[in-house]
Amino acid sequence: MNSNYDFLIVGAGLFGSVFAHEVTKHGKKCLVIDKRNHVAGNIYTENIEGIDVHKYGAHIFHTSNKEIWDYVNSFVEFNNFVNSPLANYKGDLYNLPFNMNTFYKLWGVKTPAEALKKIEKQRSKFSHIKNPKNLEEQAYVLAGKDIYEKLIKGYTEKQWGRPATEIPAFIIRRLPFRLNFDNNYFNDTYQGIPIGGYTKLVEKLLIGIDVKTNVNYFDNKNDLNALAKNIVFTGKIDEFFNYKFGKLEYRSLHFENKLLNIPNFQGNAVVNYTEKKIPFTRIIEHKHFSFGKQPKTYITKEYPDEFSKDKEPYYPINDKKNQNLLSKYQELAKMHDKIIFGGRLAEYKYYDMHNVIERAISESKNHI
């Protein structure tokens, strides 16, 4: 193994792979390692029965930054998938995000004026709540009873693993209402899925770069550090510092996958289940991300889960306690000028994919 690398990059996900690609273009030598047996991190896709399966949950690329859109399309071609999820509440289907289709299904209203009148009437019943103390109160103030109780409450309580009355109000400070019949979940200019899957994108980014999978950084930290002048760390920042100040909190997920011997299960890529008594939050039918016509279909039920050391950290719990803890680790990180902390775990931040790419490109410019 080469002992003269410019960068040891811990994590072959999107941040690490983009950073490695960018500095390699400028003559830097990188070694990318990952504890999993594959590259691409949580955007890893695996081909099963001709279907590109999102193994760690659905990932839809969207951005309004043309430079980033052109960047990813320079490696792989993207299709024109538009995310239009549905919500299933007690067997009834509602369009998301909240738009005229949703309001028509809820109340039978047919015009924006009728919808606004109904929304305001629903909100007015909670006008006495001046300073919402929790998510439930905040949602009642913003959306009223019907939208909150049918489409927000159960889903959110499952996602966070606690009653809405115990979830901070800031989680839901605003709710977008569309007074048109547009079911496109995102407002961004560009949207799609890589043809052939996200793994193909990351593999293209890593062409010509030394990559070692099944390597746990913490099993051999000192020897690995000695291989390079600088380290790019994309794992959990608290773990890097051996939990010196305590552990940052996350929500996790687990997945129940099934290959079905039918061509179509639900007719849509994503259907959310907003009832509290249904334990999973959504069902993903992967073939619809790629407009698949395969004779079989592959579905994933997504269950929110408490995080523990044996589970994958998915969502940071960005409350006051965790933000205070994070600031301590960030101060410690500033003392290590040869170590770059980047990505959702190292920054304890929920990032969309285009934000990760922007951040990795920006950081790479400081080191070329």
Side-chain angles (χ1 to χ4, degrees):
M1 196 179 281
N2 193 324
S3 60
N4 191 28
Y5 290 100
D6 295 293
F7 296 95
L8 168 70
I9 299 176
V10 182
L14 201 50
F15 185 96
S17 300
V18 170
F19 185 98
H21 179 83
E22 290 302 302
V23 297
T24 299
K25 284 196 306 189
H26 291 83
K28 304 296 184 183
K29 184 74 172 170
C30 298
L31 171 63
V32 179
I33 63 171
D34 201 289
K35 66 182 179 182
R36 290 174 173 165
N37 64 359
H38 59 75
V39 300
N42 282 358
I43 64 170
Y44 173 69
T45 47
E46 180 181 354
N47 190 282
I48 299 174
E49 295 282 340
I51 301 164
D52 293 320
V53 173
H54 298 219
K55 294 296 284 187
Y56 300 95
H59 288 83
I60 298 107
F61 195 92
H62 58 97
T63 184
S64 290
N65 185 329
K66 188 173 188 302
E67 287 185 18
I68 297 299
W69 182 246
D70 290 343
Y71 182 83
V72 293
N73 276 272
S74 71
F75 299 98
V76 291
E77 184 182 355
F78 277 64
N79 68 20
N80 62 344
F81 175 82
V82 171
N83 189 29
S84 302
L86 295 167
N88 183 315
Y89 178 75
K90 295 187 176 180
D92 287 328
L93 295 175
Y94 299 87
N95 290 101
L96 298 174
F98 309 135
N99 65 58
M100 287 299 300
N101 288 308
T102 323
F103 308 142
Y104 175 72
K105 183 64 183 283
L106 281 166
W107 306 309
V109 297
K110 298 175 183 176
T111 68
E114 290 174 343
L116 270 177
K117 186 177 179 182
K118 188 70 177 180
I119 291 167
E120 288 306 319
K121 184 179 179 182
Q122 292 252 319
R123 286 171 170 165
S124 67
K125 294 177 182 176
F126 302 94
S127 59
H128 61 281
I129 303 175
K130 302 302 181 187
N131 294 297
K133 299 181 184 66
N134 53 58
L135 185 142
E136 179 158 293
E137 290 186 354
Q138 183 71 78
Y140 276 134
V141 169
L142 291 172
K145 181 176 185 288
D146 290 347
I147 288 174
Y148 171 61
E149 294 186 359
K150 290 185 178 183
L151 302 178
I152 297 172
K153 179 179 169 67
Y155 187 93
T156 305
E157 290 185 338
K158 287 188 286 188
Q159 193 78 1
W160 288 90
R162 48 191 58 86
T165 51
E166 296 176 16
I167 301 171
F170 74 81
I171 299 293
I172 197 170
R173 284 292 186 214
R174 57 184 294 273
L175 278 176
F177 293 106
R178 288 188 188 158
L179 295 174
N180 56 35
F181 290 87
D182 180 9
N183 295 323
N184 183 352
Y185 192 79
F186 301 115
N187 293 313
D188 286 306
T189 309
Y190 310 104
Q191 184 176 170
I193 306 278
I195 295 172
Y198 286 99
T199 304
K200 186 177 175 183
L201 168 63
V202 173
E203 287 173 345
K204 290 284 187 70
L205 284 163
L206 293 172
I207 287 175
I209 296 168
D210 290 347
V211 178
K212 304 286 183 185
T213 54
N214 293 306
V215 176
N216 189 324
Y217 174 69
F218 294 103
D219 289 345
N220 203 8
K221 187 175 178 179
N222 292 334
D223 288 345
L224 287 166
N225 287 348
L227 295 176
K229 300 177 186 124
N230 305 279
I231 299 165
V232 177
F233 185 76
T234 70
K236 292 188 295 174
I237 190 170
D238 54 346
E239 185 178 16
F240 183 88
F241 292 112
N242 200 28
Y243 308 109
K244 180 174 181 176
F245 303 117
K247 293 184 178 182
L248 292 164
E249 294 177 301
Y250 293 88
R251 287 289 289 165
S252 188
L253 298 169
H254 77 268
F255 305 103
E256 186 180 285
N257 304 302
K258 191 175 287 187
L259 179 68
L260 301 175
N261 197 24
I262 56 173
N264 196 346
F265 174 72
Q266 63 188 19
N268 205 52
V270 181
V271 177
N272 292 353
Y273 284 76
T274 59
E275 269 184 274
K276 180 71 178 293
K277 71 177 184 180
I278 294 176
F280 49 86
T281 49
R282 58 183 182 173
I283 297 179
I284 300 160
E285 188 168 8
H286 299 265
K287 69 188 303 179
H288 295 305
F289 291 125
S290 305
F291 317 108
K293 305 294 184 187
Q294 299 88 347
K296 296 181 182 179
T297 193
Y298 194 92
I299 65 168
T300 299
K301 290 181 180 178
E302 192 171 294
Y303 295 79
D305 205 356
E306 290 293 332
F307 173 67
S308 67
K309 66 176 183 177
D310 299 321
K311 297 173 185 175
E312 179 69 22
Y314 282 95
Y315 303 108
I317 299 177
N318 292 121
D319 58 15
K320 197 172 205 178
K321 180 180 79 170
N322 282 288
Q323 285 302 308
N324 288 338
L325 188 56
L326 174 63
S327 66
K328 294 181 181 180
Y329 284 117
Q330 289 173 329
E331 286 301 312
L332 201 53
K334 289 176 185 175
M335 298 167 61
H336 294 74
D337 59 349
K338 297 292 185 184
I339 304 171
I340 300 148
F341 294 89
R344 65 183 182 91
L345 297 180
E347 298 178 63
Y348 195 67
K349 187 173 183 179
Y350 184 79
Y351 269 128
D352 286 326
M353 287 179 282
H354 66 284
N355 297 133
V356 174
I357 293 170
E358 286 179 52
R359 171 88 174 83
I361 292 173
S362 174
E363 188 62 45
S364 72
K365 290 176 180 176
N366 299 325
H367 301 277
I368 54 178

